[in-house]
Amino acid sequence: MSIRPVTETRKAVPTMEGAGVKLHRAFGFQDPTELDPFLLFDDFRNEYPQDYQAGFPWHPHRGIETITYVLDGSVSHADSLGNTGDLNAGDVQWMTAGSGILHQEMPHGNSKGQMHGFQLWANLPASLKMTAPRYQDVESKDIPTVVDDDGTSVRVIIGEFWGKTGPVDGIAADPQYLDVSVPAGVKKTFNIDTYRRAFAYVFAGSGSFVDASKPTGVLLEKEVMGEEVNIRDMSGNRTLIRFGTGDEITVQAGDEGIRFLLISGAPIEEPVAWHGPIVMNTQDELRQAISDLNNGTFITPAH
């Protein structure tokens, strides 16, 4: 077994999207090869309704899949195919935009006005850019949770893990999407298939991710223990961890434990032509998509 090196650790950056929703972006709208097949990851977490209630009014998508995971509050959605519904705490929606869809997402707070969720964008390969749009709405009760003897718990949203299979299926990137909680002081190793690109996003607690390329971790924090210098990455709230190649990662939970998303997928390794919510392979395809949007032919059957 080989531990994946930590290639980068960085904080999510505050930004604004939709009609004025305040959120934190871990990556997106930069180098599309960075975490291929994933293009963007947003953490929308707010304490006050004025920071999110304007929501994400009607907007288009083509050529990608969007994955929305709600932790607190809810999100009402509607689309150009006539679908409507609500995502509540613990629910997941995996939307394949394919050939084109218009939709809106409007967040609502819990009883205290708080809202928290994540959205991930996954690219589609050229062969599926114009596939028929579809939704997979998954309720919290249908997402399996497996708990190990040391108290580590994992919600398996997609993929197979520890004998459980997530309810979302048929996704082009063959991803694995896990919500991992490791108790205080516990050191835990997780296997990841070597062909997948992988990242973790820490959103509660703190901990260190072992880096095989350095003595004991990532050079972010040093503790002098006699003559020994123990080098650790003490990753905390809203931290993205990018991993290199290997078949496992190891995390040491901090004093409050650590909770993070562990996401991996098979790289597509194709050219990317990207304009906002539309992601194609060539500039000609991108221009065609924008033309379709402008002349009213954006919503078409798969072909």
Side-chain angles (χ1 to χ4, degrees):
M1 304 295 283
S2 59
I3 297 176
R4 287 177 177 248
V6 175
T7 59
E8 184 183 11
T9 300
R10 68 172 183 251
K11 292 289 187 180
V13 178
T15 189
M16 191 175 292
E17 281 293 350
V21 178
K22 293 181 179 179
L23 49 82
H24 284 72
R25 177 158 294 151
F27 62 89
F29 295 114
Q30 294 179 337
D31 180 2
T33 67
E34 181 180 62
L35 282 163
D36 180 19
F38 305 113
L39 298 166
L40 176 147
F41 182 86
D42 285 343
D43 178 347
F44 50 98
R45 181 187 333 185
N46 290 297
E47 299 290 322
Y48 307 107
Q50 62 267 29
D51 291 339
Y52 62 78
Q53 60 188 3
F56 306 90
W58 291 96
H59 59 279
H61 285 290
R62 176 179 281 183
I64 63 171
E65 299 179 285
T66 67
I67 304 93
T68 306
Y69 180 26
V70 177
L71 289 185
D72 210 351
S74 64
V75 176
S76 298
H77 66 89
D79 68 44
S80 52
L81 301 178
N83 298 309
T84 61
D86 292 296
L87 294 176
N88 298 304
D91 294 352
V92 172
Q93 181 187 85
W94 200 295
M95 183 193 77
T96 303
S99 59
I101 200 166
L102 298 172
H103 78 156
Q104 69 171 359
E105 299 157 301
M106 306 303 288
H108 310 284
N110 61 17
S111 60
K112 296 180 180 179
Q114 300 164 328
M115 172 67 205
H116 190 192
F118 308 103
Q119 188 165 92
L120 174 69
W121 291 10
N123 200 6
L124 281 169
S127 60
L128 295 174
K129 287 290 187 189
M130 299 298 285
T131 193
R134 71 165 179 157
Y135 278 92
Q136 293 185 70
D137 287 329
V138 179
E139 294 185 8
S140 180
K141 64 180 178 62
D142 296 323
I143 299 174
T145 297
V146 58
V147 181
D148 207 1
D149 293 341
D150 58 12
T152 298
S153 67
V154 179
R155 296 193 84 206
V156 186
I157 295 168
I158 185 169
E160 296 183 6
F161 191 78
W162 287 356
K164 299 290 185 179
T165 300
V168 180
D169 63 5
I171 305 303
D174 186 27
Q176 186 178 61
Y177 192 126
L178 309 174
D179 179 351
V180 180
S181 297
V182 182
V186 171
K187 185 176 183 179
K188 200 70 179 175
T189 295
F190 302 92
N191 294 333
I192 302 175
D193 290 335
T194 54
Y195 68 88
R196 299 175 186 269
R197 295 265 175 85
F199 71 91
Y201 182 76
V202 180
F203 62 94
S206 65
S208 58
F209 289 81
V210 174
D211 187 344
S213 68
K214 297 181 175 66
T216 19
V218 180
L219 186 55
L220 287 182
E221 179 179 303
K222 296 182 180 180
E223 291 183 354
V224 179
M225 305 169 63
E227 296 298 320
E228 179 184 358
V229 177
N230 180 30
I231 304 173
R232 303 188 301 168
D233 157 27
M234 290 306 295
S235 303
N237 202 354
R238 295 193 177 103
T239 302
L240 174 75
I241 314 292
R242 290 177 58 202
F243 299 105
T245 58
D247 52 21
E248 64 182 23
I249 68 159
T250 296
V251 61
Q252 172 69 60
D255 294 340
E256 299 178 355
I258 187 171
R259 187 175 179 187
F260 59 95
L261 303 179
L262 182 58
I263 298 173
S264 61
I268 295 173
E269 298 180 335
E270 292 179 352
V272 172
W274 189 352
H275 180 75
I278 300 172
V279 184
M280 305 304 289
N281 292 105
T282 69
Q283 290 299 317
D284 283 345
E285 291 171 342
L286 194 56
R287 282 189 288 269
Q288 183 63 55
I290 295 170
S291 175
D292 291 346
L293 189 61
N294 290 334
N295 65 26
T297 59
F298 188 79
I299 307 303
T300 59
H303 60 276

